[in-house]
Amino acid sequence: MSCDTSARAYCTHIGHQIAPILGMAPPEARAVLLELHELATTRVEAATPAQRSGRTTAQNRLAAARARAEDAAAAEATTALFAEMRSMQPPIPVPSHGEIDPATGLALPKPAAQHGWRAVYETVQAARAGRELPDLAREIIGAFRARSTSTPDAVARAALARMPSLWTTANTTASVGSADAVAETQDLAATAAQLDRRGVAAELREAAVAFREAMQGGGVAFRMARRNLAIAVVTAAGVDRCLACGRYVELDGAHTCPAEPVAAAIPVMEKGTPDRLTQEALAPHLHALSQAPFFPEPLREAVRNSSWQRGWGKLARQLRAHYEQIGQPLPSRAPSKAPA
């Protein structure tokens, strides 16, 4: 796993945990930690060669000695953080780098990246212990709060914090008639008004405009516009998507992927129409896939047609090709049991 991917996964998980301590919503805490990781890394990368090497003046040699001490502290903090990632349930894969240290079983990234991990680690530890946050963390949080009331992504994060149901709206063709859906629609209307202005990314603003225009008419056009705005807001808020199923995942990293049980049944489907029990077990997972916002359209159509004669074999072949393309683990072509 890459360093950036690991950082996103860890900051998503820990951001949810320390958000109440920081007085922020989980997406905001995640964004702060990611910015902290990036800024601490780039600041070390920007240090002059003289400062890092100690080959010129006595003053630079002293700075280099201090830098080496900081590097050692960064390596220690990175090792501790990576060990925590591996101990989580489920574990978060640590970045894959160079040669593995036999003492720790870990391979550390380049020194600059270690400083990024150290900044995150020390901030998380301070938050957990109720201590004052490190200077850089307080600097980033202060800047974040100063701009949090105006930027489009901040508007999106605030909307998501108020309306967790947007995950469901983005992931499924949810009803618009329930009391909760009506309340969500009213809040979405206010959010759309904030996003219908200059400076907002075209895709996000277009979704807001389309929603506002469709509100009066209702019907299919409104339901589609409502879902499209939910998708745009959730995306702008920085929520990750599952590559396998195309659905948005929860901020704490929890995700029940409907693609996994379907993938497990591919060897059965490749042999023809599954038995009734297998079809019944697959039905809710296939339904979830058919509604996923970013599932490829040819696959969506194949899922919808899976109950037709010979539809299962075609679906299995398309799913296998899709999952192999994105690196989703698949069972062998040998017969498999029905999914649970």
Side-chain angles (χ1 to χ4, degrees), residues 173-232:
T173 52
S175 167
V176 297
S178 68
D180 289 343
V182 170
E184 180 185 282
T185 296
Q186 292 172 343
D187 203 322
L188 270 175
T191 301
Q194 291 179 279
L195 296 173
D196 184 8
R197 57 183 171 85
R198 290 183 179 180
V200 175
E203 186 174 347
L204 185 57
R205 186 178 183 184
E206 288 169 6
V209 170
F211 174 83
R212 300 181 76 186
E213 292 175 347
M215 277 192 69
Q216 299 301 322
V220 175
F222 168 66
R223 289 196 297 272
M224 183 177 297
R226 179 175 177 270
R227 188 184 188 192
N228 287 342
L229 179 57
I231 290 172

Coordinates of all heavy atoms in Angstrom, one line a residue, residues 173-232:
T173 N -30.9 4.4 -4.4 CA -32.0 5.1 -4.9 C -33.0 5.2 -3.7 O -34.1 4.6 -3.8 CB -32.6 4.5 -6.1 OG1 -32.9 3.1 -5.8 CG2 -31.7 4.6 -7.3
A174 N -32.7 6.0 -2.7 CA -33.5 6.0 -1.5 C -34.8 6.8 -1.7 O -34.9 7.6 -2.6 CB -32.7 6.7 -0.4
S175 N -35.8 6.5 -0.9 CA -37.1 7.2 -0.9 C -36.9 8.6 -0.6 O -36.0 9.1 0.1 CB -38.0 6.5 0.1 OG -39.2 7.3 0.2
V176 N -37.8 9.5 -1.2 CA -37.8 10.9 -0.9 C -39.0 11.3 -0.1 O -39.2 12.5 0.1 CB -37.7 11.7 -2.2 CG1 -36.4 11.4 -2.9 CG2 -38.9 11.5 -3.1
G177 N -39.9 10.4 0.2 CA -41.2 10.7 0.8 C -41.2 10.6 2.4 O -42.1 11.1 3.0
S178 N -40.2 9.9 3.0 CA -40.3 9.8 4.4 C -40.0 11.1 5.1 O -39.5 12.1 4.5 CB -39.3 8.7 4.9 OG -38.0 9.2 4.7
A179 N -40.3 11.2 6.4 CA -40.1 12.4 7.2 C -38.6 12.7 7.2 O -38.2 13.9 7.1 CB -40.6 12.2 8.6
D180 N -37.7 11.7 7.4 CA -36.3 12.0 7.4 C -35.8 12.5 6.0 O -35.0 13.4 6.0 CB -35.5 10.7 7.7 CG -35.7 10.3 9.2 OD1 -36.1 11.2 10.0 OD2 -35.5 9.1 9.5
A181 N -36.4 11.9 5.0 CA -36.0 12.3 3.6 C -36.4 13.8 3.3 O -35.7 14.5 2.7 CB -36.6 11.4 2.6
V182 N -37.6 14.1 3.8 CA -38.1 15.5 3.7 C -37.1 16.5 4.4 O -36.8 17.5 3.9 CB -39.5 15.6 4.2 CG1 -39.9 17.1 4.2 CG2 -40.5 14.9 3.3
A183 N -36.8 16.1 5.6 CA -35.9 17.0 6.4 C -34.5 17.1 5.7 O -33.9 18.2 5.6 CB -35.7 16.4 7.8
E184 N -34.0 16.0 5.1 CA -32.8 16.0 4.4 C -32.9 16.9 3.2 O -32.0 17.7 2.8 CB -32.4 14.6 4.0 CG -31.1 14.5 3.2 CD -30.8 13.1 2.7 OE1 -30.3 12.3 3.5 OE2 -31.0 12.9 1.5
T185 N -34.0 16.8 2.5 CA -34.2 17.6 1.3 C -34.2 19.1 1.6 O -33.6 19.9 0.9 CB -35.6 17.3 0.6 OG1 -35.5 15.9 0.2 CG2 -35.9 18.2 -0.6
Q186 N -34.8 19.5 2.8 CA -34.8 20.9 3.2 C -33.4 21.3 3.5 O -33.0 22.5 3.1 CB -35.7 21.0 4.4 CG -37.2 20.8 4.1 CD -38.0 20.8 5.4 OE1 -37.5 20.6 6.5 NE2 -39.3 20.9 5.2
D187 N -32.6 20.5 4.2 CA -31.2 20.9 4.5 C -30.4 20.9 3.2 O -29.6 21.8 3.0 CB -30.6 19.8 5.4 CG -29.4 20.4 6.2 OD1 -28.7 21.2 5.6 OD2 -29.3 20.1 7.4
L188 N -30.7 20.0 2.3 CA -30.0 20.0 1.0 C -30.3 21.3 0.2 O -29.4 21.8 -0.5 CB -30.4 18.8 0.1 CG -29.5 17.5 0.3 CD1 -30.1 16.4 -0.5 CD2 -28.1 17.8 -0.1
A189 N -31.5 21.8 0.3 CA -31.8 23.0 -0.3 C -31.0 24.2 0.2 O -30.5 25.0 -0.6 CB -33.3 23.3 -0.2
A190 N -30.8 24.3 1.5 CA -30.0 25.3 2.1 C -28.5 25.1 1.6 O -27.8 26.1 1.3 CB -30.1 25.3 3.6
T191 N -28.1 23.9 1.6 CA -26.7 23.6 1.2 C -26.5 24.0 -0.3 O -25.5 24.6 -0.7 CB -26.4 22.1 1.4 OG1 -26.5 21.8 2.7 CG2 -24.9 21.8 0.9
A192 N -27.5 23.7 -1.1 CA -27.4 24.0 -2.5 C -27.3 25.5 -2.7 O -26.6 26.0 -3.6 CB -28.6 23.5 -3.3
A193 N -28.0 26.3 -1.9 CA -28.0 27.7 -2.0 C -26.6 28.3 -1.7 O -26.1 29.2 -2.4 CB -29.0 28.4 -1.1
Q194 N -25.9 27.6 -0.8 CA -24.5 28.0 -0.5 C -23.5 27.7 -1.6 O -22.5 28.3 -1.7 CB -24.1 27.4 0.8 CG -24.8 27.9 2.1 CD -24.3 27.1 3.3 OE1 -24.7 26.0 3.6 NE2 -23.4 27.8 4.0
L195 N -23.8 26.6 -2.3 CA -22.9 26.2 -3.3 C -23.2 26.8 -4.7 O -22.4 26.6 -5.6 CB -23.0 24.6 -3.4 CG -22.6 23.9 -2.2 CD1 -22.9 22.4 -2.3 CD2 -21.1 24.1 -1.9
D196 N -24.3 27.4 -4.9 CA -24.6 28.0 -6.2 C -24.0 29.4 -6.2 O -24.7 30.5 -6.1 CB -26.1 28.1 -6.3 CG -26.5 28.7 -7.7 OD1 -25.7 28.8 -8.6 OD2 -27.8 28.9 -7.9
R197 N -22.7 29.5 -6.4 CA -22.0 30.8 -6.4 C -20.6 30.6 -7.1 O -20.2 29.5 -7.4 CB -21.8 31.3 -5.0 CG -21.0 30.4 -4.1 CD -20.9 30.9 -2.7 NE -20.3 30.0 -1.7 CZ -19.0 29.8 -1.5 NH1 -18.1 30.5 -2.2 NH2 -18.6 28.9 -0.6
R198 N -20.0 31.7 -7.4 CA -18.7 31.7 -8.1 C -17.7 31.1 -7.1 O -17.8 31.2 -5.9 CB -18.3 33.1 -8.5 CG -19.1 33.7 -9.7 CD -18.5 35.0 -10.0 NE -19.2 35.6 -11.2 CZ -19.0 36.8 -11.7 NH1 -18.0 37.5 -11.2 NH2 -19.7 37.2 -12.7
G199 N -16.7 30.5 -7.7 CA -15.6 29.9 -6.9 C -15.8 28.5 -6.5 O -14.9 27.8 -5.9
V200 N -17.0 28.0 -6.8 CA -17.3 26.6 -6.5 C -17.0 25.7 -7.7 O -17.3 26.1 -8.8 CB -18.8 26.4 -6.1 CG1 -19.2 24.9 -5.9 CG2 -19.1 27.2 -4.8
A201 N -16.4 24.6 -7.5 CA -16.1 23.7 -8.6 C -17.3 23.4 -9.5 O -18.4 23.3 -9.0 CB -15.5 22.4 -8.1
A202 N -17.1 23.4 -10.8 CA -18.2 23.3 -11.8 C -19.1 22.1 -11.5 O -20.3 22.3 -11.5 CB -17.6 23.2 -13.2
E203 N -18.6 21.0 -11.2 CA -19.4 19.8 -11.0 C -20.3 19.9 -9.8 O -21.5 19.6 -9.8 CB -18.5 18.5 -10.9 CG -19.3 17.3 -10.8 CD -18.4 16.0 -10.8 OE1 -17.2 16.2 -11.1 OE2 -18.9 14.9 -10.5
L204 N -19.7 20.5 -8.7 CA -20.5 20.7 -7.5 C -21.5 21.8 -7.7 O -22.7 21.6 -7.2 CB -19.5 21.1 -6.3 CG -20.1 21.2 -4.9 CD1 -20.8 19.9 -4.5 CD2 -19.0 21.6 -3.9
R205 N -21.2 22.9 -8.3 CA -22.2 23.9 -8.5 C -23.3 23.5 -9.5 O -24.4 23.8 -9.2 CB -21.5 25.2 -9.1 CG -22.4 26.4 -9.2 CD -21.7 27.6 -9.7 NE -22.6 28.7 -9.7 CZ -22.3 29.9 -10.2 NH1 -21.1 30.2 -10.7 NH2 -23.2 30.9 -10.2
E206 N -22.9 22.8 -10.5 CA -23.9 22.3 -11.4 C -24.9 21.3 -10.7 O -26.1 21.4 -11.0 CB -23.3 21.5 -12.6 CG -22.6 22.5 -13.6 CD -21.7 21.7 -14.6 OE1 -21.7 20.5 -14.5 OE2 -21.0 22.4 -15.3
A207 N -24.4 20.5 -9.8 CA -25.3 19.6 -9.1 C -26.3 20.4 -8.2 O -27.5 20.1 -8.1 CB -24.5 18.6 -8.2
A208 N -25.7 21.5 -7.6 CA -26.6 22.4 -6.7 C -27.6 23.1 -7.6 O -28.8 23.2 -7.2 CB -25.7 23.4 -6.0
V209 N -27.2 23.6 -8.7 CA -28.2 24.3 -9.6 C -29.3 23.4 -10.1 O -30.5 23.7 -10.0 CB -27.4 25.0 -10.8 CG1 -28.4 25.5 -11.8 CG2 -26.5 26.1 -10.3
A210 N -28.9 22.2 -10.5 CA -29.9 21.2 -11.0 C -30.9 20.8 -9.9 O -32.1 20.7 -10.2 CB -29.1 20.0 -11.5
F211 N -30.4 20.7 -8.7 CA -31.2 20.3 -7.6 C -32.3 21.4 -7.3 O -33.5 21.2 -7.2 CB -30.4 20.1 -6.3 CG -31.2 19.8 -5.1 CD1 -31.7 18.6 -4.8 CD2 -31.5 20.9 -4.2 CE1 -32.5 18.4 -3.7 CE2 -32.2 20.7 -3.0 CZ -32.7 19.4 -2.8
R212 N -31.8 22.7 -7.3 CA -32.7 23.8 -7.0 C -33.8 23.9 -8.1 O -34.9 24.2 -7.8 CB -31.9 25.1 -6.9 CG -30.9 25.0 -5.7 CD -30.1 26.3 -5.6 NE -30.9 27.4 -5.0 CZ -30.6 28.6 -4.9 NH1 -29.4 29.0 -5.4 NH2 -31.3 29.5 -4.3
E213 N -33.3 23.7 -9.4 CA -34.3 23.8 -10.5 C -35.3 22.6 -10.5 O -36.5 22.8 -10.9 CB -33.5 23.8 -11.8 CG -32.7 25.1 -12.0 CD -31.9 25.0 -13.3 OE1 -31.8 23.9 -13.8 OE2 -31.3 26.1 -13.7
A214 N -34.9 21.5 -10.0 CA -35.8 20.3 -10.0 C -36.7 20.2 -8.8 O -37.7 19.4 -8.8 CB -34.9 19.0 -10.1
M215 N -36.5 21.0 -7.8 CA -37.3 20.9 -6.5 C -38.7 21.1 -6.8 O -39.6 20.4 -6.2 CB -36.7 21.9 -5.5 CG -35.6 21.4 -4.7 SD -35.2 22.4 -3.3 CE -36.6 22.0 -2.2
Q216 N -39.1 22.1 -7.6 CA -40.5 22.4 -7.8 C -41.2 21.3 -8.6 O -42.4 21.1 -8.3 CB -40.6 23.8 -8.5 CG -40.0 24.9 -7.7 CD -40.6 25.1 -6.4 OE1 -41.8 25.0 -6.2 NE2 -39.8 25.4 -5.4
G217 N -40.5 20.7 -9.5 CA -41.2 19.8 -10.4 C -41.4 18.4 -9.8 O -42.4 17.7 -10.1
G218 N -40.5 18.0 -8.9 CA -40.6 16.7 -8.3 C -40.4 15.6 -9.3 O -39.8 15.8 -10.4
G219 N -40.9 14.4 -9.0 CA -40.8 13.3 -9.9 C -39.4 12.7 -10.0 O -38.5 12.9 -9.2
V220 N -39.2 12.0 -11.1 CA -37.9 11.3 -11.4 C -36.8 12.3 -11.5 O -35.7 12.0 -11.0 CB -38.0 10.4 -12.7 CG1 -36.7 9.8 -13.0 CG2 -39.1 9.3 -12.5
A221 N -37.0 13.4 -12.2 CA -36.0 14.4 -12.3 C -35.5 14.9 -11.0 O -34.3 15.1 -10.8 CB -36.4 15.5 -13.2
F222 N -36.4 15.1 -10.1 CA -36.0 15.6 -8.7 C -35.3 14.5 -8.0 O -34.2 14.8 -7.3 CB -37.3 16.0 -8.0 CG -37.0 16.3 -6.5 CD1 -36.2 17.3 -6.1 CD2 -37.5 15.4 -5.5 CE1 -35.9 17.5 -4.7 CE2 -37.3 15.6 -4.2 CZ -36.4 16.7 -3.8
R223 N -35.7 13.3 -8.0 CA -35.0 12.2 -7.3 C -33.6 12.1 -7.8 O -32.7 11.9 -7.1 CB -35.8 10.9 -7.4 CG -37.1 10.9 -6.6 CD -37.6 9.5 -6.5 NE -37.9 8.8 -7.7 CZ -39.1 8.9 -8.3 NH1 -40.1 9.7 -7.7 NH2 -39.4 8.3 -9.4
M224 N -33.4 12.2 -9.1 CA -32.1 12.1 -9.7 C -31.2 13.3 -9.3 O -30.1 13.1 -8.9 CB -32.2 12.0 -11.2 CG -30.9 11.8 -11.9 SD -31.1 11.6 -13.7 CE -32.0 10.1 -13.8
A225 N -31.8 14.5 -9.3 CA -31.0 15.7 -9.0 C -30.7 15.6 -7.5 O -29.6 16.0 -7.1 CB -31.8 16.9 -9.3
R226 N -31.6 15.1 -6.7 CA -31.3 15.0 -5.2 C -30.1 14.0 -5.0 O -29.2 14.3 -4.2 CB -32.6 14.5 -4.5 CG -32.5 14.3 -3.0 CD -33.8 14.0 -2.5 NE -33.8 13.7 -1.1 CZ -33.6 12.5 -0.5 NH1 -33.4 11.5 -1.3 NH2 -33.6 12.4 0.8
R227 N -30.2 12.9 -5.7 CA -29.1 11.9 -5.5 C -27.8 12.5 -6.0 O -26.7 12.3 -5.4 CB -29.4 10.6 -6.1 CG -28.4 9.5 -5.8 CD -28.6 8.2 -6.5 NE -27.8 7.2 -6.0 CZ -27.6 6.0 -6.5 NH1 -28.2 5.7 -7.6 NH2 -26.7 5.2 -6.0
N228 N -27.8 13.1 -7.2 CA -26.6 13.7 -7.8 C -26.0 14.7 -6.8 O -24.7 14.8 -6.7 CB -26.9 14.3 -9.1 CG -27.1 13.2 -10.2 OD1 -26.8 12.1 -10.0 ND2 -27.8 13.6 -11.3
L229 N -26.8 15.6 -6.2 CA -26.3 16.5 -5.3 C -25.7 15.9 -4.1 O -24.6 16.3 -3.6 CB -27.3 17.5 -4.8 CG -26.9 18.6 -3.8 CD1 -25.7 19.4 -4.4 CD2 -28.0 19.5 -3.5
A230 N -26.3 14.8 -3.6 CA -25.8 14.1 -2.4 C -24.4 13.5 -2.8 O -23.5 13.5 -2.0 CB -26.7 13.0 -2.0
I231 N -24.3 12.9 -4.0 CA -23.0 12.4 -4.5 C -22.0 13.5 -4.5 O -20.8 13.3 -4.1 CB -23.2 11.7 -5.8 CG1 -24.0 10.4 -5.7 CG2 -21.9 11.4 -6.5 CD1 -24.4 9.8 -7.0
A232 N -22.3 14.6 -5.1 CA -21.4 15.7 -5.2 C -20.9 16.2 -3.8 O -19.7 16.5 -3.6 CB -22.0 16.8 -6.0

